[in-house]
Amino acid sequence: MYDQLQSMEDRYEELGELLSDPEVVTDTQRFMRLSKEEASIRETVETYRRYKEVVEGIADTEELLGESLEADMAEMAKEELSDLKKEKEVLEEEIKILLLPKDPNDDKNIIMEIRGAAGGDEAALFAGDLFNMYQRYAEAQGWKTEVMDANVTGIGGYKEVIMMISGDSVFSKLKYESGAHRVQRVPSTESQGRIHTSTATVVIMPEAEEVEIDIAEKDIRTDIYHASGAGGQHVNKTASAVRLTHIPTGVVVAMQDERSQLKNREKAMKVLRARVYDKISQEAQSEYDASRKSAVGTGDRSERIRTYNFPQNRVTDHRIGLTIQKLDQILTGKLDEIIDALILFDQTKKLEELQNG
């Protein structure tokens, strides 16, 4: 492990020199690639450097205690030694987690699809609540959101909404959100005050670059049609809506959000690329059942992952048995407590797997 850390520190120093080289600075693509590599190992290297300082501090303090010291000096040295040994243990655990194999998609932007599922209008309204929740969470993280397509219902919910979220390590935090989200509440249309249960589904897909997935033009069937809004009225008179079908996989994307056919096609291609990449990744992952079971939220997307109970102001994540009585705060985008718990659970499982074989 320490050989790996030392070679990582050597590479970090090498990257620092390369990034100040005028030749590298003028080569934008290379500079960005090396900057990204440096950023990806910075935390591990800084933790390792602190670990080395602590180990050295322990050795120096133990040597000092071997000498004849006055009582108060010896007491101070013992306290310092105890603190350093505790810090060493903490740093060792942190390093183990930092050295866990990283998901290659963790640094990517995402395409998020939210759909109202069981429950009619109430499910569509809940899909809207989830959409607002994720938008606010993204805003708090300093990420950028862009609605790519939306199918709005007459009462203000969403049958479907597709959003792109761009920023630093978006997939690493939101990848656990895929699945069925269940809501329990009294709908505004319910006169008897009875609690209804509805569901909405969330799908998180990493943005796929053209270099990662090559979709040949001959494999795409394009249909152009008139865009229509809620209730079927025409949004515009030109045929600007685009439907793309990827023939080899059967993946279909329809886009009508923009008035320009070209812009709709551009957006549709982004979503198509992400869906095809996601489909291939999901199929490959299903071959590794053991790793699939250990990971959180990367399995069956019809799985009910979370319940939002309004009468009790309660959110429960069923995968990790976490219950929080802060539904009102969570819906305003304060998701950190849930997301941090999911990340910790996933890391713990992976550490156990490494230790067991």
Side-chain angles (χ1 to χ4, degrees):
M1 181 170 91
Y2 298 105
D3 289 344
Q4 186 183 348
L5 287 163
Q6 190 54 54
S7 63
M8 204 177 275
E9 185 182 24
D10 294 344
R11 175 62 177 162
Y12 186 76
E13 285 173 4
E14 185 189 352
L15 286 165
E17 288 171 19
L18 285 167
L19 288 167
S20 58
D21 184 329
E23 276 187 36
V24 174
V25 174
T26 53
D27 183 344
T28 310
Q29 281 194 321
R30 191 179 176 206
F31 183 80
M32 283 177 69
R33 181 167 47 80
L34 294 175
S35 297
K36 205 169 182 180
E37 187 187 345
E38 186 201 41
S40 73
I41 61 173
R42 186 181 299 131
E43 189 183 356
T44 309
V45 170
E46 285 173 357
T47 307
Y48 175 54
R49 283 175 174 171
R50 177 59 192 159
Y51 176 79
K52 287 196 291 185
E53 285 172 10
V54 168
V55 168
E56 196 177 319
I58 288 170
D60 291 347
T61 311
E62 283 176 337
E63 191 180 325
L64 190 66
L65 281 165
E67 299 168 9
S68 52
L69 295 172
E70 289 179 18
D72 57 342
M73 282 288 289
E75 193 56 40
M76 280 172 64
K78 280 176 187 173
E79 273 184 37
E80 188 178 338
L81 183 63
S82 173
D83 289 344
L84 286 168
K85 283 183 172 176
K86 281 176 190 168
E87 189 181 354
K88 179 173 174 270
E89 282 180 25
V90 170
L91 288 167
E92 280 171 347
E93 287 306 307
E94 283 179 17
I95 286 167
K96 280 179 197 171
I97 286 168
L98 288 165
L99 289 177
L100 283 173
K102 285 194 167 53
D103 185 327
N105 293 320
D106 272 354
D107 293 333
K108 290 185 179 176
N109 301 328
I110 65 157
I111 288 173
M112 171 184 277
E113 299 183 351
I114 306 171
R115 293 180 181 84
D121 284 346
E122 175 61 13
L125 286 170
F126 179 51
D129 292 337
L130 292 176
F131 169 69
N132 291 329
M133 177 182 81
Y134 290 123
Q135 268 201 321
R136 289 178 181 186
Y137 177 71
E139 195 180 302
Q141 298 295 312
W143 298 336
K144 181 186 165 196
T145 61
E146 179 194 358
V147 176
M148 303 188 78
D149 201 33
N151 187 341
V152 185
T153 63
I155 58 166
Y158 289 99
K159 283 182 183 172
E160 176 187 48
V161 58
I162 301 172
M163 168 170 61
M164 184 159 181
I165 305 180
S166 315
D168 184 30
S169 303
V170 181
F171 186 79
S172 71
K173 291 194 172 180
L174 288 178
K175 62 183 174 183
Y176 307 108
E177 296 303 297
S178 283
H181 296 241
R182 181 174 74 165
V183 64
Q184 294 172 324
R185 65 182 172 190
V186 179
S188 52
T189 53
E190 170 58 62
S191 57
Q192 304 295 317
R194 287 173 300 195
I195 294 169
H196 286 227
T197 299
S198 308
T199 56
T201 60
V202 176
V203 173
I204 305 291
M205 297 175 292
E207 183 189 16
E209 304 292 339
E210 285 181 55
V211 291
E212 291 171 307
I213 182 141
D214 182 27
I215 296 180
E217 279 296 324
K218 66 180 176 61
D219 289 338
I220 301 171
R221 188 177 74 239
T222 305
D223 298 306
I224 307 298
Y225 58 99
H226 286 276
S228 63
Q233 75 269 25
H234 285 298
V235 173
N236 56 40
K237 291 185 171 66
T238 58
S240 61
V242 174
R243 185 187 299 109
L244 302 180
T245 304
H246 184 242
I247 298 160
T249 59
V251 171
V252 179
V253 176
M255 197 66 64
Q256 62 169 37
D257 199 50
E258 301 283 350
R259 290 181 179 274
S260 150
Q261 187 188 120
L262 192 67
K263 283 184 179 175
N264 279 328
R265 183 182 167 81
E266 199 178 296
K267 282 186 172 184
M269 269 307 295
K270 273 191 179 180
V271 177
L272 184 76
R273 203 176 289 119
R275 283 188 188 169
V276 172
Y277 178 81
D278 184 62
K279 186 180 172 74
I280 292 166
S281 302
Q282 288 286 315
E283 285 169 358
Q285 195 176 8
S286 67
E287 294 172 21
Y288 300 96
D289 281 338
S291 63
R292 193 172 185 180
K293 282 169 192 163
S294 72
V296 184
T298 54
D300 182 5
R301 288 190 173 160
S302 63
E303 174 197 4
R304 190 187 74 213
I305 63 165
R306 199 173 295 149
T307 295
Y308 304 73
N309 183 297
F310 274 70
Q312 295 173 27
N313 196 35
R314 185 184 74 220
V315 176
T316 301
D317 195 290
H318 304 289
R319 297 162 295 179
I320 58 174
L322 175 72
T323 295
I324 304 172
Q325 306 285 149
K326 297 176 187 173
L327 172 59
D328 51 343
Q329 293 178 39
I330 284 160
L331 288 176
T332 64
K334 293 177 179 170
L335 281 166
D336 288 315
E337 197 173 339
I338 294 177
I339 285 169
D340 290 348
L342 287 161
I343 290 169
L344 181 63
F345 181 85
D346 200 20
Q347 287 172 341
T348 307
K349 282 283 185 190
K350 284 174 180 167
L351 272 174
E352 282 172 10
E353 279 180 18
L354 279 180
Q355 285 159 0
N356 295 335

